[in-house]
């Protein structure tokens, strides 16, 4: 959050507008005949006010001491002096004096309903600037009781956070339902300090979805792959998400993912990854350029073999009710540009119910729909992914990207 600005200080002490020994109108909720200021108080008070208006706040504070020295001051005279002192001290940067003056004015009971929130907010701001978190919290809460204000609530949350009361800060953030990047970042920081891993990941998911920066996705994917029970079989899927979110910057990353795709029987995907590396100038350059070309040649050969053997492989997998292999074949065909055929095989595989890795097959069906540009189908398929081995997490992340 930006540095706190003392709100309404110019309004707080502007134009007191009284004449000595005459009733003062409009300074409190009500005016009474007894609300008068004697000349011996009013004269230095008026001069102090003029000094404040001219920006001579230190001189104004000195002039107020003349008014202070008058004996037998009424409560109203003291109230008027403190109003001017509050403005002068704040303008002079005398935080301690301004705080005392503000408290005196607020506790006088003479502020109107319209003025009260301005003074309480200003006092809270001074405590905030002084890093007096307990008093800042007290007065921010009091200001919010007088009048709800989103910026004031932001500073209340920051005061809770700065004071180390993370539970209160998190409660305020969640109650408000704020989804700004700054609010989510603060909530994530709080959850880290509280060692609330589940809460942190949930907030990180919101950040990655609404503000898809590589740093959020990198943290999210590192955490999901490090969860207890996360299946190592899903390493390729994690890398797919890393690529989709622009996290690849090295030739070795493109090479590794291409090789994993080939090992999974998906040469069409491998070629797309390799081509992306070439287009970015990451592959095909330097001493390893021949190696990059050999990998591309291997992917092209594997792609040709896939086309030759696809029909026979399909028949064999259906006959054996090998749902896992049928799902892989379908995914390979989708990546190779045969979306309708591939999706049909993948749906058959899911419906067989014989897959050893049923959730994985469902996850890949959702990803394949996304690759084919069928967003609604993809979201439906991904929503059906269950399990605690990472499949459901990855399905949720693909959904975040598609929405």
């Amino acid at each position: 959050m930006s540095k706190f600005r003392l709100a309404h200080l110019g309004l707080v002490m502007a134009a007191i507008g009284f004449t000595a020994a005459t009733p003062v109108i409009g300074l409190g909720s009500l005016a009474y005949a007894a609300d008068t200021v004697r000349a011996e108080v009013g004269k230095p008070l008026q001069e102090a006010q003029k000094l404040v208006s001219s920006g001579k706040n230190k001189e104004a504070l000195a002039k107020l001491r003349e008014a202070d020295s008058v004996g037998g001051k009424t409560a109203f005279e003291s109230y008027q002096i403190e109003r001017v002192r509050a403005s002068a001290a704040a303008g002079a940067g005398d935080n301690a004096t301004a705080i005392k003056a503000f408290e005196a004015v607020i506790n006088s009971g003479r502020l109107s309903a319209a003025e009260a929130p301005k003074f309480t907010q200003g006092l809270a701001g001074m405590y905030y600037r002084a890093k007096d978190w307990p008093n800042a919290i007290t007065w921010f809460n009091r200001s919010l009781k007088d009048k709800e204000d989103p910026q004031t609530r932001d500073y209340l949350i920051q005061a809770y956070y700065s004071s180390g009361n993370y539970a209160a800060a998190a409660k305020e953030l969640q109650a408000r339902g704020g989804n700004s990047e700054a609010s989510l970042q603060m909530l994530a920081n709080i959850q880290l300090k509280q060692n609330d891993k589940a809460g942190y990941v949930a907030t990180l998911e919101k950040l990655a979805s609404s503000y898809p920066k590589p740093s959020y996705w990198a943290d999210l994917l590192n955490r999901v792959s490090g969860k207890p029970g996360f299946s190592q079989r899903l390493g390729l899927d994690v890398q797919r998400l890393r690529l989709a979110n622009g996290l690849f910057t090295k030739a070795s990353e493109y090479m590794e993912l291409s090789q994993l795709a080939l090992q999974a029987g998906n040469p069409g995907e491998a070629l797309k990854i390799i081509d992306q590396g070439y287009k970015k100038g990451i592959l095909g350059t330097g001493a390893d350029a021949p190696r990059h070309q050999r990998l591309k040649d291997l992917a092209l050969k594997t792609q040709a073999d896939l086309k030759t053997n696809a029909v026979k492989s399909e028949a064999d997998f259906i006959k054996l009710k090998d749902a896992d292999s049928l799902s892989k074949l379908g995914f390979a065909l989708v990546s190779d540009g045969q979306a309708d055929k591939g999706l049909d095989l993948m749906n058959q595989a899911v419906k067989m119910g014989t897959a050893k890795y049923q959730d994985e097959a469902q996850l890949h069906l959702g990803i394949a729909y996304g690759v084919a540009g069928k967003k609604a189908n993809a979201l439906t398929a991904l929503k059906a992914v269950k399990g605690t081995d990472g499949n459901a997490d990855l399905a949720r992340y693909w959904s975040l990207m598609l929405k």
Side-chain angles (χ1 to χ4, degrees):
M1 294 187 181
S2 60
K3 184 177 179 181
F4 192 90
R5 295 178 181 175
L6 297 182
H8 307 295
L9 285 180
L11 295 174
V12 165
M13 303 316 297
I16 288 180
F18 65 88
T19 301
T22 59
V24 180
I25 305 299
L27 294 176
S29 56
L30 292 172
Y32 300 94
D35 287 350
T36 60
V37 177
R38 291 169 293 160
E40 54 267 39
V41 175
K43 186 174 184 294
L45 193 54
Q46 285 180 318
E47 291 173 357
Q49 183 187 342
K50 290 178 181 177
L51 288 168
V52 170
S53 299
S54 300
K56 299 177 180 179
N57 294 295
K58 291 183 179 180
E59 292 87 340
L61 288 173
K63 181 60 66 174
L64 286 171
R65 285 194 281 273
E66 294 182 24
D68 288 331
S69 67
V70 177
K73 289 188 294 297
T74 66
F76 183 68
E77 287 173 334
S78 295
Y79 164 70
Q80 294 289 10
I81 291 170
E82 295 304 327
R83 280 186 71 113
V84 179
R85 195 189 328 271
S87 181
D94 186 346
N95 216 45
T97 299
I99 285 172
K100 289 180 182 178
F102 266 74
E103 287 186 341
V105 171
I106 292 167
N107 292 329
S108 71
R110 291 177 173 272
L111 289 172
S112 68
E115 283 184 312
K118 299 173 185 177
F119 274 85
T120 53
Q121 188 183 58
L123 179 56
M126 284 183 283
Y127 277 125
Y128 184 97
R129 188 168 61 184
K131 298 184 179 180
D132 183 343
W133 308 124
N135 277 311
I137 289 166
T138 296
W139 286 100
F140 278 134
N141 274 311
R142 182 162 169 178
S143 176
L144 288 166
K145 285 182 180 179
D146 291 335
K147 181 181 180 181
E148 180 59 39
D149 177 70
Q151 187 181 45
T152 301
R153 195 162 292 280
D154 282 343
Y155 287 118
L156 171 63
I157 293 168
Q158 181 65 55
Y160 276 131
Y161 180 83
S162 298
S163 71
N165 191 343
Y166 302 126
K171 183 178 179 181
E172 282 283 343
L173 281 167
Q174 291 167 329
R176 191 179 62 179
N179 285 317
S180 70
E181 186 173 11
S183 294
L184 291 173
Q185 284 176 334
M186 179 179 286
L187 182 57
N189 286 334
I190 290 170
Q191 290 161 333
L192 276 179
K193 290 179 180 293
Q194 294 178 313
N195 199 31
D196 180 3
K197 294 180 181 178
Y200 175 75
V201 169
T203 303
L204 196 56
E205 288 179 8
K206 291 180 181 179
L207 281 166
S209 175
S210 301
Y211 310 95
K213 295 179 179 177
S215 58
Y216 297 144
W217 277 105
D219 192 1
L220 189 58
L221 294 175
N222 285 338
R223 287 179 179 276
V224 72
S225 57
K227 286 177 63 175
F230 186 84
S231 174
Q232 296 303 309
R233 289 178 53 83
L234 299 174
L236 171 58
D237 294 295
V238 172
Q239 294 304 314
R240 284 170 173 151
L241 277 166
R242 284 176 54 81
L243 176 66
N245 283 285
L247 301 183
F248 279 15
T249 58
K250 301 176 183 177
S252 58
E253 293 171 320
Y254 284 95
M255 292 288 285
E256 180 184 358
L257 183 53
S258 302
Q259 290 165 345
L260 288 173
L262 283 175
Q263 291 168 14
N266 204 333
E269 180 183 30
L271 281 169
K272 289 178 182 177
I273 297 164
I274 293 168
D275 287 342
Q276 184 174 327
Y278 271 90
K279 287 178 182 177
K280 290 192 172 184
I282 296 174
L283 297 182
T285 61
D288 285 333
R291 181 167 167 258
H292 303 160
Q293 186 60 50
R294 286 196 297 272
L295 181 60
K296 184 172 183 178
D297 291 341
L298 176 60
L300 288 167
K301 182 180 182 303
T302 307
Q303 183 184 48
D305 292 341
L306 172 69
K307 294 180 185 295
T308 300
N309 300 322
V311 174
K312 183 179 185 304
S313 296
E314 175 188 345
D316 291 343
F317 298 151
I318 291 175
K319 181 179 179 180
L320 296 170
K321 294 187 178 180
D322 186 349
D324 293 300
S325 296
L326 188 63
S327 176
K328 287 183 179 180
L329 175 61
F331 194 79
L333 293 176
V334 171
S335 298
D336 201 44
Q338 302 179 57
D340 291 339
K341 178 63 177 178
L343 288 168
D344 178 59
L345 296 185
M346 295 184 79
N347 275 296
Q348 287 186 56
V350 169
K351 290 175 183 177
M352 278 183 184
T354 59
K356 183 178 180 180
Y357 304 102
Q358 185 72 18
D359 289 321
E360 189 176 318
Q362 185 71 39
L363 169 66
H364 290 161
L365 176 61
I367 296 172
Y369 270 124
V371 171
K374 299 178 183 293
K375 179 179 174 180
N377 298 90
L379 291 172
T380 299
L382 292 166
K383 190 176 181 180
V385 180
K386 308 297 181 185
T388 58
D389 60 352
N391 277 294
D393 292 314
L394 297 183
R396 191 166 61 255
Y397 299 164
W398 280 106
S399 296
L400 291 178
M401 290 182 58
L402 289 169
K403 288 180 180 177

Coordinates of all heavy atoms in Angstrom, one line a residue, residues 197-198 201 220-232 234 387-393:
K197 N -0.4 -23.8 4.4 CA 0.0 -24.2 3.0 C -1.2 -24.3 2.1 O -1.2 -23.9 1.0 CB 0.7 -25.5 3.1 CG 2.1 -25.4 3.8 CD 2.8 -26.8 3.9 CE 4.1 -26.7 4.6 NZ 4.8 -28.0 4.7
A198 N -2.3 -24.9 2.6 CA -3.5 -25.1 1.8 C -4.1 -23.7 1.4 O -4.5 -23.5 0.3 CB -4.5 -25.9 2.5
V201 N -1.8 -21.9 -1.2 CA -2.0 -22.4 -2.6 C -3.3 -22.0 -3.2 O -3.4 -21.6 -4.4 CB -1.9 -24.0 -2.6 CG1 -2.3 -24.5 -3.9 CG2 -0.5 -24.4 -2.3
L220 N 3.3 -22.0 -8.1 CA 2.1 -22.9 -8.0 C 2.5 -24.3 -8.5 O 2.2 -25.3 -7.8 CB 1.0 -22.3 -8.8 CG -0.4 -23.1 -8.7 CD1 -0.8 -23.1 -7.2 CD2 -1.4 -22.4 -9.6
L221 N 3.2 -24.4 -9.6 CA 3.6 -25.7 -10.1 C 4.7 -26.3 -9.3 O 4.7 -27.6 -9.2 CB 4.0 -25.5 -11.6 CG 2.8 -25.1 -12.5 CD1 3.4 -24.8 -13.9 CD2 1.7 -26.1 -12.6
N222 N 5.6 -25.6 -8.8 CA 6.6 -26.1 -7.9 C 5.9 -26.7 -6.7 O 6.3 -27.8 -6.2 CB 7.6 -25.1 -7.5 CG 8.6 -24.7 -8.6 OD1 8.8 -25.5 -9.5 ND2 9.2 -23.6 -8.5
R223 N 4.9 -26.0 -6.1 CA 4.3 -26.5 -4.9 C 3.4 -27.8 -5.2 O 3.4 -28.7 -4.4 CB 3.5 -25.4 -4.3 CG 4.3 -24.4 -3.6 CD 3.5 -23.2 -3.0 NE 4.4 -22.3 -2.4 CZ 4.9 -22.4 -1.2 NH1 4.6 -23.4 -0.4 NH2 5.8 -21.5 -0.7
V224 N 2.7 -27.8 -6.3 CA 1.9 -28.9 -6.5 C 2.7 -30.2 -6.8 O 2.3 -31.3 -6.3 CB 0.9 -28.7 -7.7 CG1 1.6 -28.7 -9.0 CG2 -0.3 -29.7 -7.7
S225 N 3.8 -30.0 -7.5 CA 4.6 -31.2 -7.8 C 5.4 -31.7 -6.6 O 5.9 -32.8 -6.5 CB 5.6 -30.9 -8.9 OG 6.4 -29.8 -8.6
G226 N 5.5 -30.8 -5.5 CA 6.1 -31.2 -4.3 C 5.2 -31.7 -3.2 O 5.7 -32.0 -2.1
K227 N 3.9 -31.8 -3.5 CA 3.0 -32.3 -2.5 C 3.1 -33.7 -2.2 O 3.4 -34.5 -3.1 CB 1.5 -32.0 -3.0 CG 1.1 -30.6 -3.0 CD -0.3 -30.4 -3.6 CE -1.4 -31.2 -2.8 NZ -2.7 -30.9 -3.3
P228 N 3.0 -34.1 -1.0 CA 3.0 -35.6 -0.6 C 2.0 -36.4 -1.5 O 0.8 -35.9 -1.6 CB 2.7 -35.6 0.9 CG 3.0 -34.2 1.3 CD 2.7 -33.3 0.2
G229 N 2.4 -37.5 -2.0 CA 1.5 -38.3 -2.8 C 1.4 -37.9 -4.3 O 0.6 -38.6 -5.0
F230 N 2.1 -36.8 -4.7 CA 2.0 -36.4 -6.1 C 2.6 -37.5 -7.0 O 3.7 -37.9 -6.8 CB 2.7 -35.1 -6.3 CG 2.5 -34.5 -7.7 CD1 1.4 -33.8 -8.0 CD2 3.4 -34.7 -8.7 CE1 1.2 -33.3 -9.2 CE2 3.3 -34.2 -9.9 CZ 2.1 -33.5 -10.2
S231 N 1.9 -37.9 -8.0 CA 2.3 -39.0 -8.9 C 3.4 -38.5 -9.8 O 3.2 -37.5 -10.5 CB 1.1 -39.5 -9.7 OG 1.6 -40.5 -10.6
Q232 N 4.5 -39.3 -9.8 CA 5.6 -39.0 -10.8 C 5.2 -39.1 -12.2 O 5.8 -38.6 -13.1 CB 6.8 -39.8 -10.4 CG 7.4 -39.6 -9.0 CD 7.8 -38.1 -8.8 OE1 8.5 -37.5 -9.7 NE2 7.3 -37.5 -7.7
L234 N 2.9 -37.8 -13.5 CA 2.3 -36.5 -14.0 C 3.4 -35.5 -14.3 O 3.1 -34.3 -14.6 CB 1.3 -35.9 -13.0 CG 0.1 -36.8 -12.7 CD1 -0.7 -36.3 -11.5 CD2 -0.7 -37.0 -13.9
G387 N -9.4 -37.6 -7.5 CA -8.1 -38.2 -7.0 C -7.3 -37.2 -6.2 O -7.5 -36.0 -6.2
T388 N -6.4 -37.8 -5.5 CA -5.5 -37.0 -4.6 C -4.1 -37.1 -5.0 O -3.2 -36.7 -4.2 CB -5.7 -37.5 -3.1 OG1 -5.3 -38.9 -3.1 CG2 -7.1 -37.3 -2.6
D389 N -3.8 -37.6 -6.2 CA -2.4 -37.8 -6.6 C -1.9 -36.7 -7.5 O -0.8 -36.9 -8.1 CB -2.3 -39.2 -7.3 CG -3.1 -39.3 -8.5 OD1 -4.0 -38.4 -8.8 OD2 -3.0 -40.3 -9.3
G390 N -2.6 -35.6 -7.6 CA -2.2 -34.5 -8.4 C -3.0 -34.3 -9.6 O -3.0 -33.2 -10.2
N391 N -3.8 -35.3 -10.1 CA -4.6 -35.2 -11.3 C -5.6 -34.0 -11.1 O -5.8 -33.2 -12.0 CB -5.3 -36.5 -11.6 CG -4.4 -37.4 -12.4 OD1 -4.0 -37.2 -13.5 ND2 -4.1 -38.6 -11.7
A392 N -6.3 -34.0 -10.0 CA -7.4 -33.0 -9.8 C -6.8 -31.6 -9.7 O -7.4 -30.7 -10.2 CB -8.1 -33.3 -8.5
D393 N -5.6 -31.5 -9.1 CA -4.9 -30.2 -9.0 C -4.6 -29.7 -10.4 O -4.9 -28.5 -10.8 CB -3.6 -30.3 -8.2 CG -3.9 -30.6 -6.7 OD1 -4.7 -29.9 -6.2 OD2 -3.2 -31.5 -6.2

